[in-house]
Amino acid sequence: MEENRKKKKLSAAMQFILLFGIVSLFSDMTHEGATSIRGAYLSLLGASAATIGFVSGLGELVGYSMRYVFGRMTDRTKKYWPMVIAGYVLDVLAVPALALVGEHGWIAACVLLVIQKMGKAIKKPAKDTVMSFAASQEGAGKSFGIQEMLDQIGAFLGPVLLYVVMLLKTDGTTYQIYSTCFAVLAVPGVLTLLLLAVTKRKFPNPEKFEPEPKEYIPFKIKKSFVFYITGISLFAFGFLDYSLVVMHISRTYTTLSSGMYSATALIQENTLPLLYAGAMLVDAVAAMLFGALFDRIGVKALVFSTLVSAPFAILVFGGHSLTALYIGIALWGVGMGAQESIMKAAISGMVPKNSRATGYGIFEFSFGIFWFLGSWLLGNLYDQSITWLIGVSVAAQLVSIPFYFLTVRERKRENAQENSSAA
C-alpha cells in the first residue's frame, strides 16, 4: 500500500515541470493575448504597414539574436534564476504598459514591444536550461511536451479573454477598447510573477536535477548544421509575422466601431482575438503531430509542414471570403506549430549536449536576422503590391525545402563517417 502511494506521488522534477508550465501558461496569456490585436492597435495609433513590419521584425531580431548573448552569459555565470526573473519581469509588464501610450503613441508602443521581446531574449536560454535539468529525470519529449501544451492553453486563453473584454466594453472609442484590453492583461502578468516566485522558493537550485557531464565535447559547425540553418532562415524570411496579418484583416475584413465600413466588411472587429486563439489551437495540434512525425522521419517532417503552410499568404492576403481567411489563418498556425516543435528537436540532434547553448545561439541569431529582414521587406511590399508580398512570402518558404533535403543527406554522410571512425 505504501509502495503504491510512493508510485503515485509526483517526483520533484515533475512538480517543477508542472509549476513552470503554469508560469508559462499565464505568461502566454499575457503576451499572446497582446499579439492577437497588436497589429490592429499599432495601425490605429498611426503606424504604417512598413513600420509595423519593421518593428515586428526588429522585435524578433532582438528576441532571437540576443539569446546567444544571454545564453553565453547564463552558461558563464550559472545565475539561472536571476536571468529567468529579469526576463519575465520585462516580458509580462511591457504588455499592459501599452494601455498608457496615448491615442497617437505608436512610437512608445513600438518601443514597448521591442522591450517585451528583449525580456524573452533574457529569460529563454536560462528557462530552457533549467527545464532541461528537470527533463533529464522525466524524459525530454514528455517534459517539453507538457510545457508546450500548457503554453498553448495560455496562448488560446489570452485572445479569448480579450474577446470577452471587447464584448463587455461596449462604450468608448476604439482606442479606449484596445487600451482596456491591454490593461486587463496585467492580471495574468502579475499572476505569472507570483507563481514564478513560488516556483523559485520551492526549487532554488534546479541544476541539481541533472548530474554534471563527465566530459566536454567541443561544438564544430558541420555542413548539415549550415544547410539546416539556411533552410529554416529562408522559411523565417517568408513567414509573415502575425502583426501584419491582423493589421490586414482589420483594414480589409472588419466593421469598424466608428460605423465606417470597408469594401469587404465580413467580421466584427471584436472577434479579431478569436482568430488568433483559433490559430493557437491549430498550432498546438500541429506541434504534436509534426513533433511525432519528426521522431519518425527527422528533418523531412519540415518538408511536409512547409508544403502545407506556405500557401497561407495567398488565402489571407489574396482571398476575399471568410472561408479563405479561416483556412489561411489555420495554415499559418500549422507553420507556427511545426517550427516550434521541430526546431529544438533538430538542433538537439546536431549539437553535443554540453555545447547546445552555443548551437542554439547561432541558430536563433540567424533565424532572428532573417525574420527581421523578411518582416521589414514584406511590410514595405504591403504598401506597394499585395501580389509581390504573396509571391515573396510563398517563394521564400518553398525555397527552404531543398535545404532540408540537403540537411538529411549530409547527416547520413556525417553519421556514416563517425561510425566508420569509431569502428
Side-chain angles (χ1 to χ4, degrees):
M1 193 76 170
E2 183 66 27
E3 195 174 324
N4 287 338
R5 242 186 255 114
K6 286 181 180 177
K7 283 182 182 177
K8 289 179 181 178
K9 188 178 179 182
L10 288 175
S11 68
M14 182 52 69
Q15 290 176 43
F16 176 79
I17 290 164
L18 290 172
L19 263 176
F20 224 145
I22 296 170
V23 169
S24 293
L25 185 154
F26 284 107
S27 171
D28 268 40
M29 277 189 71
T30 308
H31 56 73
E32 298 296 359
T35 299
S36 70
I37 60 171
R38 75 181 180 203
Y41 187 57
L42 288 175
S43 181
L44 179 69
L45 295 177
S48 67
T51 299
I52 293 171
F54 176 83
V55 171
S56 299
L58 179 62
E60 295 303 327
L61 175 63
V62 169
Y64 278 94
S65 62
M66 293 303 291
R67 289 180 198 184
Y68 176 72
V69 175
F70 291 114
R72 292 293 298 269
M73 190 183 299
T74 301
D75 282 340
R76 189 172 67 251
T77 64
K78 307 299 180 187
K79 301 290 186 183
Y80 301 111
W81 275 120
M83 299 295 283
V84 169
I85 292 169
Y88 266 113
V89 168
L90 286 179
D91 184 14
V92 300
L93 295 187
V95 170
L98 287 165
L100 308 174
V101 298
E103 291 193 45
H104 304 288
W106 64 269
I107 296 176
C110 290
V111 171
L112 285 170
L113 290 174
V114 174
I115 289 173
Q116 186 255 323
K117 293 296 184 181
M118 176 63 81
K120 291 191 76 171
I122 294 170
K123 78 178 183 185
K124 202 71 171 67
K127 175 189 171 183
D128 287 344
T129 301
V130 295
M131 271 294 297
S132 71
F133 294 148
S136 68
Q137 301 294 313
E138 295 290 336
K142 175 184 175 183
S143 301
F144 282 103
I146 291 170
Q147 176 84 28
E148 181 65 18
M149 178 190 71
L150 290 169
D151 274 356
Q152 294 311 310
I153 291 173
F156 170 75
L157 292 176
V160 171
L161 172 64
L162 295 195
Y163 172 68
V164 173
V165 172
M166 286 182 167
L167 282 182
L168 297 177
K169 177 73 175 172
T170 55
D171 58 325
T173 64
T174 304
Y175 165 75
Q176 290 170 334
I177 292 170
Y178 277 104
S179 183
T180 301
C181 286
F182 286 111
V184 168
L185 291 174
V187 176
V190 170
L191 287 173
T192 299
L193 299 180
L194 290 175
L195 286 167
L196 189 64
V198 171
T199 307
K200 180 184 181 297
R201 183 176 180 181
K202 188 172 177 62
F203 300 99
N205 301 298
E207 62 271 20
K208 292 183 179 179
F209 284 124
E210 183 176 351
E212 294 296 320
K214 294 180 180 178
E215 59 177 343
Y216 175 77
I217 304 173
F219 170 51
K220 296 178 181 178
I221 297 178
K222 298 179 180 178
K223 278 188 178 180
S224 61
F225 187 74
V226 173
F227 285 140
Y228 182 70
I229 285 180
T230 303
I232 207 73
S233 295
L234 285 167
F235 176 85
F237 186 88
F239 197 79
L240 284 152
D241 188 89
Y242 195 77
S243 292
L244 277 173
V245 174
V246 75
M247 182 212 67
H248 172 72
I249 296 170
S250 70
R251 287 186 179 183
T252 309
Y253 287 89
T254 62
T255 303
L256 302 178
S257 60
S258 62
M260 298 297 292
Y261 291 84
S262 67
T264 52
L266 300 175
I267 58 176
Q268 294 292 323
E269 193 170 22
N270 61 10
T271 63
L272 288 178
L274 290 185
L275 288 177
Y276 190 70
M280 290 298 96
L281 285 182
V282 174
D283 179 331
V285 174
M288 291 186 287
L289 290 176
F290 285 103
L293 186 61
F294 175 84
D295 287 338
R296 297 185 62 182
I297 64 174
V299 175
K300 287 180 183 177
L302 274 170
V303 174
F304 295 104
S305 67
T306 301
L307 287 171
V308 172
S309 67
F312 83 85
I314 299 173
L315 296 165
V316 171
F317 292 89
H320 298 287
S321 68
L322 283 179
T323 301
L325 176 64
Y326 293 156
I327 295 174
I329 294 293
L331 296 186
W332 184 89
V334 169
M336 282 296 294
Q339 62 170 290
E340 286 176 3
S341 61
I342 297 172
M343 269 199 293
K344 292 180 183 178
I347 293 295
S348 66
M350 296 180 190
V351 183
K353 179 183 175 181
N354 48 21
S355 303
R356 202 156 293 152
T358 302
Y360 274 122
I362 295 170
F363 167 75
E364 290 177 340
F365 177 73
S366 177
F367 188 94
I369 286 176
F370 278 86
W371 187 292
F372 164 66
L373 293 174
S375 295
W376 190 10
L377 173 63
L378 294 169
N380 277 284
L381 287 177
Y382 183 89
D383 289 327
Q384 306 300 322
S385 170
I386 294 292
T387 302
W388 272 99
L389 178 147
I390 293 170
V392 171
S393 173
V394 175
Q397 292 176 75
L398 293 179
V399 169
S400 69
I401 291 176
F403 290 96
Y404 301 146
F405 283 116
L406 287 170
T407 301
V408 173
R409 189 189 71 182
E410 282 300 314
R411 283 291 293 159
K412 287 180 180 177
R413 190 183 64 80
E414 290 161 4
N415 289 337
Q417 284 183 344
E418 290 171 6
N419 292 335
S420 63
S421 299

